Amino acid sequence: MIDRDQVVHVARLARLELGEDEVGALAEELSSILDHVDRLLAVDTDGVEPTTHVVPLENVLRDDVPGEELTPEQALAPAPSVEDGAFLVPSPKTEG
Amino acid sequence: MAGEPLGMLSACATGEAIGSGELDGAECLAFWAERAGDETLNAYLWTGPDDGGQRIAGAPVAVKDIFCTEGLPTTAGSRILDGYAPPFDATAVTRLRAAGLPVLGKTNMDEFAMGSSNENSAYGPVLNPWDRTRVPGGSSGGSAAAVAAGAAPWALGTDTGGSIRQPAALCGIVGLKPTYGAVSRFGMIAFASSLDQCGTFGHSVADAAELLSVVEGLDPRDSTSTGIPGGLSRPTASDLEGITVGVPRNFLEVGVEQGVADRFAEALKTVERLGGTIRDIELPHAELGISAYYVIAPAEASTNLSRYDGVRYGLRVPADDLVEMYERTRGEGFGPEVKRRIMLGTYALSSGYYDQYYGTAQKVRTLIVRDFEAAFSEVDLIATPTTPGVAFELGAKTSDPWSMYLNDLFTVPMSLAGIPAISIPAGLAAPPEGGPQLPVGLQLAAPAFAEQALIESAHALEAAIGFDERPEGGGDS
């Protein structure tokens, strides 16, 4: 039901590098899982509202007052690469 | 209490003994630190302890490695967070420290809490203290095994679809998942945000409830947190007079091992002996829970896990180009089950499939919520076995994801409805293929925020069942 091309497409959407063997395995596994999940499609859900959240809360607000939070140094400390108080990343330019 | 070995003292009693001066807090911590350091089940990823330099007012807590701990390793069982030491504490951990409960160690878990066997940890599986060839359950397997083996007095875990209740059942201890929102999710590494909930493990209902009372509460840092209105007090019930317990017989028809069914039937007799009433109920959509869950949870996970991109923390695999760096970092950093769920979730949310899968799953979730509402108009509690079977052998289900997912058949519906549920030991049973006697869990579920009623009944049942078995050798062997 899910072929290798779809796996490669979805992996690109998810920014996930997969090996050739992983692509094949995932095509099989995802198809098998979706076979089970497809039972949902047989349920009569006409007129049923979706549940996105189980606790009936809305608009939990607070005053916009600055509190004691992390310093820039603390926030940057776990980063793999930093420069001049910012996260350093490779160029976003892509070829082709 | 006096003269009882420290390892056999309940966590509640330990706190009382420290409070009265009968027991020295530092000595208690040293005792448990040695136990934690000596365990050989791979239950801990890091042992400290870390008392934060504060007063010690009670038994130290084993904390699932999904909770951020300031300056201490926090991996969520993933290679992508190898070496990460967060600059802040999760609110649950802040609350432990404020109550004078030191962090004993960080416990092993399925990667990003995705799993039911702990075999998805990047740091190797946890072994079940009852039989080291078997899984402890998951995803909070390290927390459950540590408590069961006597390598921690009590523990924090998280439960998204059964990740506290299932390992508690497989390890023969109590696991308590409160109502969604009871405990802040701030600093609790996100898996599926509409389902994730912090909960507790202990040897008794009273211990699990006491630890929950420490960590629950409204938190300005988590706008979905509510706390438990009225809080929690120590359970005292000794009978079930006036309590009606619903049993969804149709839901329980398929695939329950005989030994589990036998212990469950005995537990229901115990309910009646304590003055409770058993009533058959219907949860017509509960059996669809796993299918709905495996759309909703992966969809939420695929978005939550997009933050692991090699930029702000954790692993980075170098590349010349930004997108290639993302792809290689994530390809190398995530394990097979996490990749599977990211792929499943991304697919379910992708253009053309969103309504078909995610939309439908959320509507089925509504039907499951309504099933519980209807049932709780007739009964006070709902009882099921926690799991369809006892602990299975390592490797037994790794090649078939769906058979692994079915471990959570009876625990997932409560997560989808956001209601509280507890697993307590119901006795021992042998697996169907023969083998050692292994723990069986009884699950009790209650309406949202009815934690006090839940723990009262669980406490009365626990005393009547009288389960006092501990695994031989435990963490000492």
Side-chain angles (χ1 to χ4, degrees):
Chain A
M1 195 170 62
I2 289 195
D3 58 29
R4 295 177 64 99
D5 288 348
Q6 279 173 298
V7 169
V8 169
H9 171 68
V10 173
R12 180 155 302 165
L13 294 176
R15 297 283 185 262
L16 201 54
E17 184 179 74
L18 297 177
E20 273 303 303
D21 51 336
E22 287 180 299
V23 171
L26 279 164
E28 271 179 41
E29 289 162 357
L30 295 182
S31 296
S32 159
I33 292 167
L34 286 173
D35 280 347
H36 293 285
V37 165
D38 277 346
R39 296 181 60 217
L40 296 175
L41 309 182
V43 181
D44 180 5
T45 54
D46 275 0
V48 178
E49 287 294 312
T51 293
T52 52
H53 200 269
V54 285
V55 182
L57 292 170
E58 47 183 296
N59 295 343
V60 178
L61 302 173
R62 62 168 171 79
D63 293 337
D64 187 16
V65 181
E68 260 189 54
E69 297 297 339
L70 299 179
T71 63
E73 291 72 27
Q74 286 174 313
L76 289 167
S81 183
V82 294
E83 197 175 287
D84 295 337
F87 299 109
L88 187 64
V89 296
S91 165
K93 282 182 195 162
T94 53
E95 292 170 22
Chain B
M1 168 198 322
E4 198 163 347
L6 196 45
M8 294 305 288
L9 207 57
S10 79
C12 284
T14 301
E16 283 161 12
I18 292 173
S20 69
E22 211 177 322
L23 182 65
D24 180 65
E27 263 176 51
C28 170
L29 181 57
F31 169 86
W32 283 110
E34 192 179 335
R35 283 289 191 96
D38 287 350
E39 68 87 14
T40 55
L41 301 165
N42 201 26
Y44 285 97
L45 295 175
W46 177 87
T47 53
D50 179 60
D51 63 7
Q54 301 198 314
R55 77 193 162 94
I56 298 170
V61 184
V63 175
K64 187 180 184 180
D65 204 32
I66 201 164
F67 292 94
C68 286
T69 42
E70 186 178 344
L72 304 179
T74 301
T75 67
S78 182
R79 261 169 51 108
I80 211 161
L81 282 176
D82 196 11
Y84 175 55
F88 60 90
D89 276 335
T91 296
V93 173
T94 303
R95 284 176 177 265
L96 293 182
R97 297 194 195 282
L101 305 181
V103 173
L104 182 58
K106 302 294 292 290
T107 57
N108 201 351
M109 56 181 282
D110 284 299
E111 185 177 4
F112 289 111
M114 298 176 192
S116 307
S117 69
N118 236 283
E119 293 165 293
N120 296 333
S121 169
Y123 305 96
V126 178
L127 310 180
N128 189 313
W130 293 82
D131 176 352
R132 287 166 178 260
T133 67
R134 290 172 190 272
V135 304
S139 65
S140 313
S143 285
V147 173
W154 50 8
L156 286 190
T158 61
D159 190 313
T160 303
S163 281
I164 287 174
R165 292 161 284 161
Q166 187 254 12
L170 269 44
C171 289
I173 60 170
V174 174
L176 173 56
K177 180 203 92 77
T179 307
Y180 181 87
V183 185
S184 169
R185 290 182 294 110
F186 178 79
M188 200 176 99
I189 292 172
F191 158 21
S193 301
S194 80
L195 298 160
D196 294 342
Q197 189 50 221
C198 167
T200 57
F201 293 95
H203 276 292
S204 67
V205 174
D207 279 359
E210 173 82 9
L211 190 55
L212 177 59
S213 76
V214 171
V215 294
E216 67 91 11
L218 179 73
D219 179 12
R221 293 176 190 264
D222 173 7
S223 62
T224 64
S225 70
T226 55
I228 300 170
L232 274 183
S233 55
R234 196 169 291 182
T236 56
S238 56
D239 63 52
L240 295 173
E241 293 292 342
I243 303 289
T244 304
V245 178
V247 180
R249 303 268 182 202
N250 292 345
F251 181 37
L252 306 178
E253 265 170 10
V254 185
V256 178
E257 289 175 9
Q258 191 56 48
V260 172
D262 289 348
R263 295 296 87 75
F264 181 65
E266 288 164 15
L268 297 183
K269 287 203 180 95
T270 308
V271 168
E272 290 180 318
R273 187 157 58 77
L274 290 171
T277 306
I278 300 291
R279 183 177 299 175
D280 288 0
I281 57 164
E282 302 278 339
L283 295 173
H285 301 93
E287 54 139 3
L288 293 164
I290 289 284
S291 293
Y293 179 87
Y294 277 96
V295 175
I296 294 168
E300 295 184 9
S302 73
T303 51
N304 270 326
L305 270 58
S306 66
R307 74 192 64 186
Y308 303 103
D309 56 7
V311 175
R312 288 154 297 171
Y313 30 66
L315 179 75
R316 172 185 292 188
V317 178
D320 296 335
D321 167 87
L322 183 62
V323 171
E324 198 186 333
M325 187 278 280
Y326 292 154
E327 291 178 340
R328 292 178 63 180
T329 297
R330 292 162 62 78
E332 200 163 303
F334 291 135
E337 180 63 21
V338 172
K339 287 181 183 172
R340 205 175 286 139
R341 298 213 198 173
I342 288 174
M343 291 291 291
L344 190 56
T346 305
Y347 176 78
L349 290 176
S350 64
S351 175
Y353 296 101
Y354 183 93
D355 283 337
Q356 182 181 351
Y357 285 112
Y358 195 60
T360 305
Q362 287 187 314
K363 289 176 181 175
V364 171
R365 186 176 187 181
T366 303
L367 297 174
I368 291 169
V369 169
R370 286 184 192 163
D371 283 356
F372 280 111
E373 284 169 359
F376 284 127
S377 71
E378 294 179 15
V379 301
D380 301 295
L381 301 172
I382 292 171
T384 74
T386 309
T387 59
V390 294
F392 45 93
E393 291 184 334
L394 289 156
K397 300 189 181 187
T398 40
S399 61
D400 179 359
W402 198 259
S403 77
M404 184 71 87
Y405 298 168
L406 286 175
N407 272 291
D408 295 328
L409 181 64
F410 300 144
T411 50
V412 151
M414 293 73 179
S415 295
L416 289 169
I419 61 175
I422 192 169
S423 179
I424 65 171
L428 299 174
E433 70 278 9
Q437 293 285 311
L438 297 163
V440 173
L442 168 71
Q443 176 178 234
L444 295 172
F449 302 112
E451 271 84 355
Q452 190 65 42
L454 178 66
I455 62 168
E456 292 291 353
S457 290
H459 174 73
L461 256 176
E462 164 185 72
I465 290 169
F467 181 83
D468 58 3
E469 308 265 353
R470 300 264 180 125
E472 275 177 43
D476 296 336
S477 57

